[in-house]
Amino acid sequence: MRIIRLDVEYDGTHFSGWAEQPERRTCEGELRRALGLVLRVPVDLCVAGRTDAGVHASGQVASFAVDSGVDLRRVAKSLAGVLPQDIAVRAISDAPPGFDARRSALSRSYAYRVLAGPRSPLRRARVLHHPQPLDLAAMNRAASACVGKHDFTAFTPTKTDHVFFNRTVFRCRWEQRGDELVFGVEADAFLRNMVRILVGTMLEIGRGSRSVDDIAQLVRGAPRSAAGRTAPAHPLVLVGVRYPGAATAGPILGGAE
Amino acid sequence: MRIIRLDVEYDGTHFSGWAEQPERRTCEGELRRALGLVLRVPVDLCVAGRTDAGVHASGQVASFAVDSGVDLRRVAKSLAGVLPQDIAVRAISDAPPGFDARRSALSRSYAYRVLAGPRSPLRRARVLHHPQPLDLAAMNRAASACVGKHDFTAFTPTKTDHVFFNRTVFRCRWEQRGDELVFGVEADAFLRNMVRILVGTMLEIGRGSRSVDDIAQLVRGAPRSAAGRTAPAHPLVLVGVRYPGAATAGPILGGAE
């Protein structure tokens, strides 16, 4: 069996998230449809991050098994012809034996952009506009408190398919970049809505309407109601996935839009 | 008379360009409508760059005269409430006596983004996708030949309102930035479509379908038919305008999207 790895980018605006659902336009659905047309056999996709509706990816990774001697250059070219404009396979390669885009992943990294200044028409589809001043130092104290293995129950909806709520956060920080504050977070895995609820909670801290000290309690299995609001989906991007053998992950916050 | 300067950003996608036209949605039209609502008097706008339909601006400058003692903070706040999402006043200030956004400008700078690699769904609204390889060195030899005072007749449509075709180009170069080639050009002023025809012609040089040596002839008053195609509008941004007394212009290619 040959395992093929796909590096995928999509604009999540017009997708009902990654995971295939009946009657909905999804990333997985579009990619499986395109692969079926090109390979002439149905494939099952594994994916590193099941992003929500409206969330983007610049560094999503998917994998599937094929038994044929397919020519990857031809597949890449044919996929480009049948995929819609808002999703693209940016790289296609043979993966090591036993590779599974989900189970082999060591970590996922997300970035979330907040514009803390005048409104920007050119960036409005990619940033959260937050005109009030934010206390970056306080937000970074809260971000530091998230690093490590914690119970993130407060950071996912109460109605859930998750069974375990412990996750290990490797890196978590806010960075000023021009007139934006960009949140970068890397963890072994994420609960549903986890990044957006982390951002919503830290924005309350940045505005001064919540204490920094709250975070230490929140990451010890507090209920959902104790954390902040879920921030909007459109400024969130899955920027990368790390696998064994790959070079150390670069900066989460690097890379042009 | 008090002169007010507006620093304006817009997403040109759904505008028929800057200049007001009957029955069309234009940047000038939207801005004059908003200013009329806020100031309760009609204003005449001067503008640094009359961008074409579909062209964006991150650093457009406009000016107008008022005789009243208006409070600029209040005007800024009110404008934010009445302008549509795709245009914003990012700064409002008192200009020096005699300031005119068009006549006082020393130069305008534009940037044009070309993606020379796999398709990028997240950037598709802002870059020209050019999958074939491009010879950056050849394109930069052509760009260098544009610097100086030249007759750019070949770089504007034959049917024209322009009377003089000499323009002075101060800076002109292509720069590799990740998987993009970004063209930056600064000149005292530009003819209609000039940047897009420069880009279209240099892309032909980059593909090898036109000689670098053509440029030297083209900038000596050759006819429009001698130059290349007009590149699409959507990757073009007016990034800045320079005025006397301001610090030396920064890099054209700097700044986040």
Side-chain angles (χ1 to χ4, degrees):
Chain A
M1 243 4 211
R2 196 174 161 194
I3 310 289
I4 308 298
R5 169 181 168 155
L6 303 174
D7 287 79
V8 183
E9 177 175 323
Y10 46 87
D11 172 350
T13 311
H14 302 294
F15 287 110
S16 300
W18 172 270
E20 206 160 3
Q21 304 167 61
E23 313 286 315
R24 296 295 189 105
R25 183 170 186 267
T26 64
C27 304
E28 184 182 28
E30 288 294 330
L31 197 53
R32 286 190 64 225
R33 185 190 60 80
L35 285 166
L37 286 170
V38 170
L39 300 170
R40 292 159 201 253
V41 288
V43 297
D44 282 324
L45 285 174
C46 304
V47 72
R50 288 164 58 99
T51 52
D52 287 342
V55 176
H56 317 291
S58 59
Q60 177 70 283
V61 180
S63 63
F64 61 95
V66 283
D67 56 6
S68 61
V70 295
D71 175 354
L72 295 188
R73 290 167 71 98
R74 192 192 63 80
V75 171
K77 206 164 180 178
S78 303
L79 280 176
V82 295
L83 282 169
Q85 287 300 303
D86 51 358
I87 181 165
V89 171
R90 301 209 82 213
I92 181 167
S93 56
D94 273 291
F99 181 85
D100 176 310
R102 183 173 70 82
R103 282 179 297 182
S104 304
L106 299 175
S107 74
R108 288 84 176 154
S109 295
Y110 284 87
Y112 194 104
R113 294 166 63 187
V114 174
L115 176 60
R119 198 161 58 77
S120 169
L122 282 168
R123 287 174 281 168
R124 72 191 188 285
R126 301 279 184 267
V127 299
L128 176 68
H129 183 220
H130 190 286
Q132 305 99 299
L134 288 165
D135 181 343
L136 181 62
M139 289 157 75
N140 265 329
R141 283 199 298 280
S144 297
C146 294
V147 174
K149 186 169 180 179
H150 300 291
D151 180 338
F152 287 96
T153 300
F155 297 93
T156 197
T158 308
K159 185 161 174 281
T160 184
D161 294 329
H162 295 297
V163 179
F164 302 106
F165 297 88
N166 281 336
R167 295 292 184 274
T168 302
V169 172
F170 301 120
R171 296 195 285 180
C172 188
R173 73 168 193 282
W174 289 86
E175 196 175 89
Q176 180 96 41
R177 203 193 286 169
D179 56 4
E180 294 183 18
L181 296 179
V182 187
F183 178 61
V185 59
E186 178 183 3
D188 57 348
F190 288 86
L191 300 167
R192 181 153 175 261
N193 288 6
M194 180 169 150
V195 183
R196 293 163 59 192
I197 303 172
L198 282 170
V199 168
T201 305
M202 291 190 206
L203 289 176
E204 293 175 7
I205 289 167
R207 284 195 291 271
S209 62
R210 174 189 290 271
S211 159
V212 177
D213 304 326
D214 272 20
I215 287 280
Q217 297 303 318
L218 288 173
V219 299
R220 288 185 199 159
R224 171 69 188 90
S225 58
R229 288 180 174 240
T230 308
H234 71 274
L236 181 59
V237 184
L238 169 61
V239 293
V241 186
R242 202 149 50 93
Y243 292 99
T248 313
I252 297 174
L253 305 176
E257 128 110 354
Chain B
M1 246 0 211
R2 196 175 160 193
I3 310 290
I4 309 298
R5 168 180 168 156
L6 302 175
D7 287 79
V8 183
E9 176 175 323
Y10 45 87
D11 172 349
T13 311
H14 301 294
F15 287 110
S16 299
W18 172 270
E20 206 160 2
Q21 304 168 59
E23 313 287 316
R24 295 296 189 103
R25 184 170 187 268
T26 64
C27 304
E28 184 182 28
E30 289 294 331
L31 198 52
R32 286 189 63 226
R33 184 190 60 80
L35 285 166
L37 286 170
V38 170
L39 300 170
R40 292 159 200 253
V41 289
V43 298
D44 283 325
L45 284 175
C46 305
V47 71
R50 288 164 57 99
T51 52
D52 287 342
V55 176
H56 317 291
S58 59
Q60 177 71 282
V61 181
S63 63
F64 61 95
V66 283
D67 57 6
S68 60
V70 294
D71 173 355
L72 295 189
R73 288 167 71 99
R74 193 192 60 81
V75 172
K77 207 163 179 180
S78 304
L79 280 175
V82 295
L83 281 170
Q85 287 298 306
D86 52 357
I87 181 165
V89 171
R90 300 208 83 213
I92 181 166
S93 55
D94 273 291
F99 180 84
D100 176 309
R102 182 173 70 83
R103 282 180 296 183
S104 304
L106 300 174
S107 73
R108 287 85 177 156
S109 294
Y110 284 87
Y112 194 103
R113 293 167 64 186
V114 175
L115 175 61
R119 198 161 59 76
S120 169
L122 283 168
R123 287 174 281 167
R124 71 191 190 284
R126 302 282 184 265
V127 300
L128 177 68
H129 184 219
H130 190 287
Q132 304 98 302
L134 289 165
D135 181 343
L136 181 63
M139 289 157 74
N140 265 328
R141 284 200 298 281
S144 297
C146 294
V147 174
K149 186 171 182 178
H150 301 290
D151 180 338
F152 287 96
T153 300
F155 297 93
T156 198
T158 308
K159 184 161 175 283
T160 184
D161 294 330
H162 295 296
V163 180
F164 302 105
F165 297 88
N166 281 338
R167 295 292 183 274
T168 301
V169 172
F170 302 119
R171 295 195 286 182
C172 188
R173 74 167 192 282
W174 289 86
E175 195 175 89
Q176 181 96 41
R177 202 193 290 170
D179 56 3
E180 294 184 17
L181 298 179
V182 186
F183 178 62
V185 59
E186 177 183 4
D188 57 349
F190 288 86
L191 300 167
R192 184 155 172 261
N193 288 6
M194 180 168 149
V195 183
R196 294 164 58 192
I197 303 172
L198 282 169
V199 168
T201 305
M202 290 189 206
L203 288 176
E204 293 175 6
I205 289 168
R207 285 194 291 270
S209 61
R210 174 189 292 270
S211 159
V212 177
D213 305 326
D214 272 21
I215 288 280
Q217 298 302 318
L218 288 173
V219 299
R220 288 184 197 158
R224 170 67 188 92
S225 58
R229 290 181 173 237
T230 308
H234 72 274
L236 181 58
V237 183
L238 170 60
V239 292
V241 186
R242 202 147 51 91
Y243 292 99
T248 313
I252 297 175
L253 306 177
E257 125 111 358

